[in-house]
Amino acid sequence: MTIAPEQEAAIFAHFHDVHIDHDNIAHYQGLMDGRLLINRCADCGFWIYPHRPMCPRCRTWNVVPTQVSGRGKLYMWTLIYQSRDPDKPLFEPILTAAIELDEQPGLRYLSRVVNIPAEHLQHDIPLQLTWIEERGRRWPAFEPATAGSD
Ligand SMILES: [Zn+2]
């Protein structure tokens, strides 16, 4: 996937505090556009996350950022109590999770979980993609799936 230099500059400026490289820049461009993109092998269809340029199953470099359905289930979660930025302390813990996406067993995207208290979480509950605003940026998050959302 080729990204024009002016687009690259906009992505780097928007995510100025994120480590962006050749392997994940399309993912972040997707976030700016409100789309969750995960690399997928165009030869064998294998989904690849964390972002890597080569398919670990068939070893091709023919990997294409591809939009996922946004549906999955809760695999594991934790509460983060410490801010990464010492100038911005957390006033409530952040619920962070690995969500196993419906696209492929074992494809687990790391994200926030919102709109559910932590004490109500259970392994394998169905989740759906939503978006949250934080410090002027839009981020993917997951919330309990609503009936008939699929
Ligand atoms: Zn492959």
Side-chain angles (χ1 to χ4, degrees):
M1 181 175 181
T2 302
I3 298 175
E6 61 274 11
Q7 283 179 295
E8 282 189 0
I11 296 165
F12 281 111
H14 191 73
F15 295 103
H16 57 88
D17 54 351
V18 176
H19 178 80
I20 293 179
D21 59 26
H22 185 76
D23 297 334
N24 69 14
I25 192 166
H27 175 75
Y28 285 96
Q29 182 180 31
L31 298 189
M32 288 179 71
D33 298 338
R35 300 185 306 144
L36 183 57
L37 304 178
I38 303 288
N39 285 349
R40 187 177 196 194
C41 177
D43 289 347
C44 76
F46 193 73
W47 294 88
I48 304 156
Y49 181 82
H51 313 287
R52 287 181 297 221
M54 188 182 85
C55 175
R57 191 163 79 174
C58 74
R59 298 183 187 262
T60 180
W61 296 92
N62 192 10
V63 169
V64 179
T66 305
Q67 187 166 0
V68 294
S69 67
R71 291 188 300 273
K73 57 189 177 186
L74 185 61
Y75 181 73
M76 63 180 181
W77 66 95
T78 190
L79 290 168
I80 297 176
Y81 289 88
Q82 187 171 16
S83 173
R84 294 171 67 183
D85 184 344
D87 294 328
K88 295 187 175 66
L90 293 178
F91 296 105
E92 59 185 50
I94 295 175
L95 180 50
T96 305
I99 293 96
E100 184 153 310
L101 300 176
D102 282 358
E103 275 70 14
Q104 176 177 288
L107 179 67
R108 297 178 192 130
Y109 185 72
L110 302 178
S111 187
R112 302 261 300 265
V113 176
V114 297
N115 300 330
I116 183 170
E119 60 269 23
H120 291 175
L121 293 176
Q122 294 180 12
H123 184 69
D124 277 350
I125 61 169
L127 299 173
Q128 66 188 16
L129 177 66
T130 186
W131 295 89
I132 58 175
E133 292 282 330
E134 192 172 84
R135 286 189 240 165
R137 292 183 291 198
R138 181 173 39 188
W139 297 97
F142 284 78
E143 64 182 0
T146 54
S149 64
D150 55 0

